[in-house]
Amino acid sequence: NGAWANACLLTAKAIGAEFLEKRPRHNAHNFIALHYRAADDGLFRLTIVDVERDWPKFCRAIDREQLIDDPRFCEPVVRREHMSTLIGILDQRFAEEPRAHWLKRLEDFDVPHAISASYDDIAADAQMEAIGVYADYEHAEHGKLRPDHGPMRLDHAPARE
């Protein structure tokens, strides 16, 4: 349920934390915490923590070196004033190539990022396969099925093969 998924934020709020207001994506507080859509509709997210250190290599990774010294983006305070413009530039750029291209570029330039996995991505994930999440099952009526083992194991219950 949502309370468990958001336990850290709920606890923080309960002890007095204050949060920034939610904004429309185009007017986000920062470009580093957004999902971006690639040309093949694949989603990924930037996870940059040290923006000042990573700004030049990020710009190189996306083949937009001119942004490094662009007066609208070269300093953090000024960049915030032009955030919606920067987000528009990035959206347009990321829409030019498939997700695999961007994941490789970001990896090659050591820019922190993460895949935003679809159900298809998760079902085909090598790590999920390696740790035995899925169980092949032959159903009499529906043929081969591949459900997950489920997150719970019960003591004294026979293991499902």
Side-chain angles (χ1 to χ4, degrees), residues 32-67:
I32 60 172
L34 300 175
H35 288 87
Y36 292 93
R37 185 174 303 279
D40 59 357
D41 282 335
L43 293 173
F44 63 96
R45 182 181 185 119
L46 300 174
T47 58
I48 300 169
V49 176
D50 188 342
V51 179
E52 297 323 299
R53 180 195 67 203
D54 292 341
W55 175 248
K57 64 183 178 180
F58 169 70
C59 294
R60 290 182 187 99
I62 65 169
D63 290 324
R64 292 295 183 265
E65 292 85 358
Q66 68 273 22
L67 296 177

Side-chain angles (χ1 to χ4, degrees), residues 17-154:
E18 293 185 23
F19 300 100
L20 296 173
E21 79 278 6
K22 292 192 183 262
R23 294 178 165 186
R25 184 181 188 286
H26 70 276
N27 195 26
H29 293 285
N30 211 322
F31 73 98
I32 60 172
L34 300 175
H35 288 87
Y36 292 93
R37 185 174 303 279
D40 59 357
D41 282 335
L43 293 173
F44 63 96
R45 182 181 185 119
L46 300 174
T47 58
I48 300 169
V49 176
D50 188 342
V51 179
E52 297 323 299
R53 180 195 67 203
D54 292 341
W55 175 248
K57 64 183 178 180
F58 169 70
C59 294
R60 290 182 187 99
I62 65 169
D63 290 324
R64 292 295 183 265
E65 292 85 358
Q66 68 273 22
L67 296 177
I68 296 170
D69 296 318
D70 187 312
R72 299 169 298 172
F73 311 123
C74 63
E75 297 294 329
V77 173
V78 179
R79 190 180 307 137
R80 277 190 289 277
E81 293 171 10
H82 298 279
M83 194 58 64
S84 62
T85 301
L86 178 58
I87 291 167
I89 291 169
L90 298 179
D91 281 342
Q92 183 176 24
R93 179 66 181 126
F94 289 135
E96 294 173 5
E97 301 287 348
R99 180 174 65 182
H101 170 85
W102 294 119
L103 297 178
K104 181 169 181 0
R105 291 287 298 184
L106 295 168
E107 186 71 29
D108 288 349
F109 282 81
D110 195 30
V111 176
H113 63 283
I115 186 173
S116 295
S118 68
Y119 289 119
D120 288 337
D121 294 326
I122 295 166
D125 185 75
Q127 178 67 15
M128 299 283 275
E129 184 70 37
I131 63 174
V133 169
Y134 303 112
D136 291 328
Y137 174 72
E138 192 67 39
H139 188 276
E141 186 177 335
H142 301 289
K144 183 178 179 182
L145 300 176
R146 196 160 198 251
D148 65 67
H149 276 295
M152 298 183 346
R153 301 287 185 262
L154 304 173

